[in-house]
Amino acid sequence: MKLSLKYIYLLPMLLVMLNNETVLALAGLSEGQVSKPSGVFVVAATFLFLREFSPFMKKWLIIVTIYLLILMLESYHDYHTFFKYPHVFLKIFDIYLLFFIYSFYKKHLDKVPFVLHFTVWLILIIYIVAAFTIRREVFSMSAFTNNKRGFNSAEIYIFIICLTYFFNLYFYKKNFINIILFFVVFSLIIFSQQKTVWTCAAFSQILNILFIRRSNFKIDFAAIAPVLLMIGIVAFIVSSVILTNEEIRATFEKRIKAFTEVENDEEGGTAAWRRRQWEAYLPIVEQNILTGLRLKGFELPGQFDAFTAENTGHHFHSYYLDKLFYFGIFGLFSGVVLISFYTLKLIFFVRKFITLEQIVLASYMMTFAVYSIGYDIPFAIYGLIGLGFAYLEKDYTDTDKKRKVTEKSIAISQ
C-alpha cells in the first residue's frame, strides 16, 4: 500500500497534461471551458505551498499577485465587478500554473523523482491515442503533400521534451532503443510541418549539447557512431524518396521556400500574416508600452482584418505582441524574461553540475523565448516550465545521491 501511495503525487502533472489541446479535442472540449476553472484553482492552490518557494520565486509570485490585485481593483473601479473580462485575467492566471506545479514538486519531488519520465510517456500515449482516433488522417502521405496538419503547433511543441529526453537517455544508458525513439519523435516533428517547432527543436538540441558539458554523463565517440549511422540511413531513405517522387520533392521545396514568406507577401502563409498583424497593432503598443491597455484593450475594436468574433478579445499569433498589448513591458518581464533569466542563472551560476532531467527541462524552457515569437503559450506549457524549476532548484550536491536519484528516475526504461 505504501508503494502505491506515492503515485498520488503524479496527479498534478497528469492534470496538466490532460489540459493540453490534444486531450481537450479528444474530450470534445475547448481550452476556454477548462482553463477558466483551472486558472482559479491554481491561483488558490499555489498559496498552499508558499513555504516551498525559493527567495527568487517568492519575489516573482509577490510581484504577479500584487499586479493581479491592482487589476481586480481597476476592474471594480471602472466596471463595478472584480473580474470584468476573464479573457484578460486568464493571461495572468496562466502563470500561476507555473507557480503551483513548481511549489508542489519542490515539496514532493523526492517521492516521485521519475515524474519527468512519466510525463514523457504520457505525452506519447496521448498522441498515439489521438492519432488512431480523432486524427487518423495525420500519417498519410497525402496529408503531408497537401499541408494538412493533423496536430497544431502547440500540440507538437510539447514533443520537444520527448525528443531531448530520449536523446540524452541514450547517451546516459547506451540503450539503442532510446535513439530509435528519438528518431521516431524527430520524424513526427518533421512530418507535422510546423516550422516554428522545427526551429525550437533545433535550438533546444543546441542548448542540450551545451548543457551536457555540465552534466554527469558525456557524449563519447563510441555512442555517437550508431547515431551517425542511423542519420546516414535515414538521410539516404529520405533523399531517395524525395528524388524519386515529384510530388514529395515539390512539397519539400515549398516548405523550404516558406521560410522567406515573411519578406514576401505574395507567398502568403502565416508568417506574412503575423507581420501584418504586428504592423496593425504596433502603434497602439508603442503608445502604451509600459503598462499596456489591460481591460481597455478588450474593448478596443479589432485592428486587423483577420480579427475573430466580437467580444472575444484580441487573439494574437505572438506571445510578445499579446503581452505587450495587454500588459506592456510588465507582461514580458513577468513571463518570458524571468523564465529565461532564472533558467540560465540556475544552470550556469547556481548548480555545480546538472542531471539528465534538469538538462532536458532547461533546454525546453529556453525555447519558450523562440516559440513565443510565432505563438501565444498554451496553459499546459506553464506547468512543464514549473516542473522544470522544481527540478533545477534541486541541488544534488553529493555524488552518490545524485547517481541514485538519476538512476531511480529512469529505472522504468531499463
Side-chain angles (χ1 to χ4, degrees):
M1 186 65 179
K2 185 178 179 181
L3 182 65
S4 62
L5 282 177
K6 70 178 181 180
Y7 294 105
I8 294 174
Y9 298 110
L10 294 173
L11 187 59
M13 208 60 218
L14 175 64
L15 294 176
V16 167
M17 294 317 304
L18 293 180
N19 223 319
N20 82 63
E21 295 188 36
T22 306
V23 176
L24 296 179
L26 282 166
L29 299 171
S30 68
E31 188 175 10
Q33 289 175 297
V34 177
S35 60
K36 288 180 183 179
S38 298
V40 174
F41 167 76
V42 297
V43 171
T46 294
F47 293 93
L48 295 175
F49 302 98
L50 192 58
R51 281 207 249 170
E52 304 304 323
F53 280 69
S54 65
F56 179 90
M57 295 295 288
K58 189 173 290 186
K59 290 173 185 176
W60 188 1
L61 172 66
I62 290 171
I63 290 171
V64 173
T65 302
I66 290 173
Y67 186 86
L68 176 61
L69 292 173
I70 291 172
L71 192 64
M72 289 170 61
L73 292 174
E74 180 182 349
S75 174
Y76 188 81
H77 179 270
D78 294 342
Y79 305 101
H80 306 291
T81 176
F82 285 110
F83 296 100
K84 174 59 178 175
Y85 297 121
H87 175 82
V88 180
F89 281 94
L90 282 172
K91 296 178 183 297
I92 301 176
F93 287 175
D94 282 354
I95 203 166
Y96 278 91
L97 179 61
L98 184 160
F99 293 138
F100 169 62
I101 294 297
Y102 154 77
S103 57
F104 181 89
Y105 284 106
K106 184 79 179 295
K107 181 177 178 62
H108 299 299
L109 190 58
D110 284 334
K111 299 182 182 71
V112 281
F114 51 85
V115 62
L116 176 61
H117 184 85
F118 165 80
T119 303
V120 166
W121 281 100
L122 182 61
I123 291 169
L124 291 178
I125 290 169
I126 288 171
Y127 287 100
I128 289 170
V129 172
F132 284 98
T133 54
I134 62 172
R135 307 283 173 80
R136 286 186 226 177
E137 73 285 358
V138 173
F139 301 111
S140 67
M141 194 53 67
S142 62
F144 181 77
T145 55
N146 294 319
N147 197 28
K148 293 180 180 178
R149 299 167 175 174
F151 294 103
N152 64 35
S153 180
E155 294 170 309
I156 296 299
Y157 178 52
I158 296 178
F159 255 104
I160 294 175
I161 281 189
C162 306
L163 185 77
T164 311
Y165 182 75
F166 290 125
F167 181 85
N168 289 2
L169 198 57
Y170 166 72
F171 286 102
Y172 185 84
K173 300 297 294 182
K174 305 299 189 294
N175 188 336
F176 199 68
I177 189 65
N178 291 306
I179 204 63
I180 293 175
L181 288 169
F182 166 81
F183 277 104
V184 168
V185 175
F186 176 78
S187 300
L188 292 174
I189 290 175
I190 295 297
F191 204 80
S192 72
Q193 304 185 68
Q194 298 288 353
K195 297 184 293 295
T196 301
V197 180
W198 293 354
T199 304
C200 290
F203 182 55
S204 72
Q205 295 314 300
I206 292 171
L207 291 173
N208 179 48
I209 293 171
L210 176 65
F211 294 160
I212 283 175
R213 299 179 64 183
R214 298 180 54 80
S215 72
N216 60 329
F217 66 98
K218 304 297 177 186
I219 298 178
D220 54 69
F221 180 78
I224 290 177
V227 178
L228 295 177
L229 177 62
M230 283 201 67
I231 290 174
I233 293 171
V234 172
F236 175 76
I237 294 172
V238 171
S239 59
S240 299
V241 172
I242 293 173
L243 291 173
T244 57
N245 190 308
E246 186 175 343
E247 187 178 13
I248 295 176
R249 184 171 66 253
T251 300
F252 270 98
E253 290 173 354
K254 183 179 179 181
R255 301 295 172 266
I256 294 170
K257 190 178 181 182
F259 279 103
T260 67
E261 66 186 25
V262 177
E263 293 79 22
N264 300 288
D265 284 355
E266 63 271 13
E267 296 295 335
T270 55
W273 185 90
R274 290 187 187 97
R275 183 172 64 81
R276 293 196 295 272
Q277 188 181 57
W278 265 97
E279 290 171 348
Y281 279 95
L282 194 56
I284 298 170
V285 168
E286 289 174 343
Q287 292 170 16
N288 304 274
I289 190 65
L290 291 178
T291 59
L293 285 171
R294 302 176 309 285
L295 299 171
K296 297 294 182 184
F298 189 92
E299 300 173 341
L300 190 74
Q303 307 295 304
F304 194 57
D305 58 88
F307 182 64
T308 54
E310 192 175 352
N311 296 321
T312 65
H314 302 256
H315 302 273
F316 299 106
H317 253 284
S318 170
Y319 170 93
Y320 294 101
L321 182 57
D322 181 88
K323 295 302 177 283
L324 285 170
F325 176 81
Y326 281 109
F327 307 118
I329 294 295
F330 173 83
L332 291 186
F333 178 80
S334 64
V336 66
V337 173
L338 286 183
I339 289 170
S340 301
F341 165 77
Y342 195 44
T343 301
L344 290 175
K345 179 183 177 181
L346 288 169
I347 289 289
F348 290 108
F349 300 102
V350 177
R351 300 279 72 85
K352 293 180 180 179
F353 55 81
I354 48 181
T355 64
L356 180 150
E357 297 89 348
Q358 290 171 330
I359 294 169
V360 171
L361 288 162
S363 59
Y364 181 71
M365 291 157 69
M366 290 302 297
T367 66
F368 186 108
V370 178
Y371 184 82
S372 298
I373 297 171
Y375 295 95
D376 197 6
I377 302 299
F379 186 64
I381 300 300
Y382 288 95
L384 293 169
I385 295 171
L387 180 65
F389 282 133
Y391 267 106
L392 285 169
E393 283 196 355
K394 188 167 184 59
D395 188 9
Y396 301 102
T397 54
D398 181 81
T399 303
D400 293 331
K401 182 181 177 183
K402 170 200 65 176
R403 187 177 297 113
K404 180 181 177 182
V405 171
T406 305
E407 290 182 356
K408 253 179 96 177
S409 69
I410 60 177
I412 195 171
S413 67
Q414 293 180 315

